[in-house]
Amino acid sequence: MFDLVSEILQTLRHNKLRTALTGLSVAWGVFMLIVLLSMARGLTNSFRDDMMSSGTKQISVWSGRTSKAYHGYKEGRRIKLHDDDMGAIEDALPEDVVEVTSEVYGNAPSLSTTTRHIDGSYTGVYPSYLDREGHKMVEGRFINDRDIEQRAKVMVLATDFAEQLFPPDGKGAVGSRVRLNGLSFQVVGVYQGRWSRDKLIPYTTAKMMQEKKDETGGLSVLLSDNVTTEEKGNNVEKGVRQTLAATRDFNPDDESALWVFNKFVNSLQMENGMNILNIGVWILGLMTLLSGVVGISNIMFVSVKERTHEIGIRRAIGARPARIVTQVISEGIAITTLFGYIGIVLGTAVAQMIAMALADQPFMKNPTVSLAIAFEVTVVLVVAGALAGLFPALKALKVKPVEALRDE
């Protein structure tokens, strides 16, 4: 082993400039691979944080207008969704649907305490709304099933609204009373909104405050664990359309009658897109690295040519072919790994700087290099170095001892 290391170091010293210039191309290729992988990871992390942390196993349905005549109705008819549609979907798809919920949006002159008032818009929701939207409770509790059953006059405030009504930090909000539409509500919790912020009350309570108590603007269909593939997600969407077509009397093939957003299928497609992006980054990085590998292979060919006489002597005194092949391949691995790790260090440093510069940007989350990526790149370097030395090593085996001893 010591002799092998000494021979490798001797080869590197003998071709300093040539090795350095070619090694720079390897370092550059690895550097670009690391930076591209870190950027792709940042985009993937952002996607998963935005799409996957909140409920993705759901299908959202909104009312629309028909584009086809059906059962005596002309096209252009407004399809309105009702509360009983929730139960109809749950009954029609019991194995694929966990729950069907809805939301009610309302406006009031103001939401006020004894001393302060703010805009009075509100949203009636079900208990599953919190997890589905990815919100987090800061203080108190969220709306529960008992609130829904009893049509309780309770409210959960976003942190901004709690601070406005109960300055300076909103700490006194939970347990306090506020007035909305002439009704007294008890604040039972404060939440940190992920994308939106609102004043939330029980869905059934909000329905009592609406003029059209049986209509709803949209439905959220929460999917069960049985739905795991894109095909199943599309089948559930089709089942929802057919169920609502039967209850609301429109053509099941009329896609304009309902506006449907299949978040589950959409997330799977975007996940596939992220995987394709990662594959593309690897291909681009490996193509960049290939130029350096070719350069190192050329160095090894020249080295074998210059050492023809030496190889002939070693073959003549009994050196095994495997020994010569091992030496040449080891030299290729040593050069590739040495300069490759320079590229890894520089690429990691740049990735850290990018992470610091874009720390507050939602589209790029933690674009750094993990140990798994560093290990994968190390494996690539070893394989690339072995390939760089393989063909020169095979050429060395073809050297005949008698002809090599005659070579000047």
Side-chain angles (χ1 to χ4, degrees):
M1 177 61 70
F2 179 77
D3 292 338
L4 179 61
V5 174
S6 299
E7 291 171 353
I8 292 174
L9 293 176
Q10 182 179 358
T11 301
L12 295 178
R13 286 195 298 266
H14 183 68
N15 301 294
K16 292 180 181 178
L17 180 60
R18 187 167 56 197
T19 301
L21 292 176
T22 306
L24 285 176
S25 62
V26 174
W28 174 254
V30 175
F31 170 81
M32 289 301 300
L33 178 59
I34 290 293
V35 172
L36 290 173
L37 286 175
S38 66
M39 297 290 285
R41 188 185 184 203
L43 292 173
T44 302
N45 289 340
S46 178
F47 158 72
R48 287 174 177 165
D49 187 58
D50 295 341
M51 293 290 294
M52 307 301 286
S53 60
S54 58
T56 57
K57 300 196 70 171
Q58 64 174 304
I59 298 174
S60 299
V61 184
W62 298 276
S63 61
R65 290 186 181 277
T66 61
S67 61
K68 300 178 181 180
Y70 189 72
H71 284 181
Y73 294 107
K74 295 182 179 180
E75 67 274 9
R77 177 169 56 100
R78 182 75 175 179
I79 300 300
K80 297 179 181 180
L81 299 175
H82 293 69
D83 285 347
D84 56 5
D85 291 329
M86 292 187 277
I89 294 174
E90 291 177 353
D91 293 340
L93 304 167
E95 296 182 358
D96 298 327
V97 174
V98 174
E99 181 186 20
V100 182
T101 64
S102 184
E103 298 169 16
V104 175
Y105 303 96
N107 288 293
S110 67
L111 175 66
S112 62
T113 63
T114 55
T115 58
R116 293 178 176 271
H117 66 274
I118 58 176
D119 174 68
S121 61
Y122 61 90
T123 303
V125 299
Y126 279 87
S128 58
Y129 175 88
L130 182 70
D131 294 331
R132 178 162 51 85
E133 295 299 322
H135 300 324
K136 294 182 180 180
M137 293 301 299
V138 176
E139 188 179 3
R141 67 171 178 85
F142 196 66
I143 295 165
N144 56 34
D145 293 333
R146 184 176 181 181
D147 296 330
I148 297 294
E149 293 173 2
Q150 297 182 351
R151 298 180 176 85
K153 296 182 179 64
V154 295
M155 180 177 295
V156 180
L157 295 174
T159 51
D160 293 351
F161 296 129
E163 291 169 359
Q164 293 175 33
L165 290 172
F166 303 92
D169 54 11
K171 294 298 183 181
V174 176
S176 300
R177 289 277 175 177
V178 294
R179 294 194 66 82
L180 177 70
N181 259 3
L183 300 175
S184 177
F185 283 78
Q186 182 181 28
V187 178
V188 295
V190 176
Y191 73 95
Q192 179 68 51
R194 181 174 179 79
W195 296 109
S196 60
R197 54 192 183 95
D198 208 343
K199 307 97 177 176
L200 306 176
I201 64 176
Y203 178 83
T204 51
T205 306
K207 292 294 289 186
M208 289 194 308
M209 300 166 62
Q210 301 292 308
E211 292 183 2
K212 298 180 179 180
K213 301 186 185 306
D214 61 334
E215 292 184 8
T216 184
L219 303 175
S220 294
V221 182
L222 307 183
L223 306 181
S224 70
D225 293 336
N226 292 331
V227 184
T228 56
T229 64
E230 185 174 341
E231 180 182 2
K232 289 185 177 180
N234 287 325
N235 288 338
V236 175
E237 178 183 338
K238 183 178 179 180
V240 169
R241 285 187 178 275
Q242 291 176 342
T243 301
L244 294 178
T247 60
R248 298 298 137 209
D249 204 17
F250 63 86
N251 192 325
D253 298 326
D254 189 353
E255 295 187 358
S256 297
L258 297 172
W259 293 97
V260 179
F261 175 59
N262 196 328
K263 191 174 183 180
F264 173 70
V265 171
N266 187 65
S267 65
L268 290 181
Q269 292 173 346
M270 292 188 68
E271 183 73 25
N272 291 334
M274 291 294 103
N275 292 334
I276 292 173
L277 173 64
N278 284 325
I279 294 173
V281 167
W282 270 103
I283 292 175
L284 182 60
L286 291 177
M287 292 299 292
T288 306
L289 182 61
L290 181 62
S291 61
V293 173
V294 171
I296 290 177
S297 185
N298 288 334
I299 285 181
M300 302 308 300
F301 271 116
V302 173
S303 177
V304 169
K305 178 65 178 177
E306 291 177 346
R307 293 155 60 190
T308 301
H309 193 69
E310 173 194 337
I311 294 173
I313 293 176
R314 295 178 64 181
R315 292 287 303 277
I317 62 177
R320 294 182 178 180
R323 173 69 178 177
I324 296 174
V325 171
T326 301
Q327 178 184 345
V328 177
I329 292 179
S330 297
E331 290 175 4
I333 293 175
I335 297 173
T336 305
T337 305
L338 173 63
F339 287 96
Y341 268 101
I342 294 175
I344 289 178
V345 172
L346 294 177
T348 302
V350 171
Q352 290 289 349
M353 289 188 287
I354 293 174
M356 294 174 60
L358 301 178
D360 298 329
Q361 299 299 321
F363 65 88
M364 188 68 61
K365 186 177 180 63
N366 191 27
T368 55
V369 179
S370 65
L371 291 177
I373 292 179
F375 176 77
E376 290 170 359
V377 173
T378 300
V379 172
V380 169
L381 287 175
V382 173
V383 173
L387 291 176
L390 176 61
F391 296 104
L394 295 178
K395 180 177 177 62
L397 286 181
K398 295 179 181 179
V399 175
K400 296 180 180 180
V402 175
E403 295 179 1
L405 292 174
R406 294 174 183 174
D407 186 53
E408 296 294 337

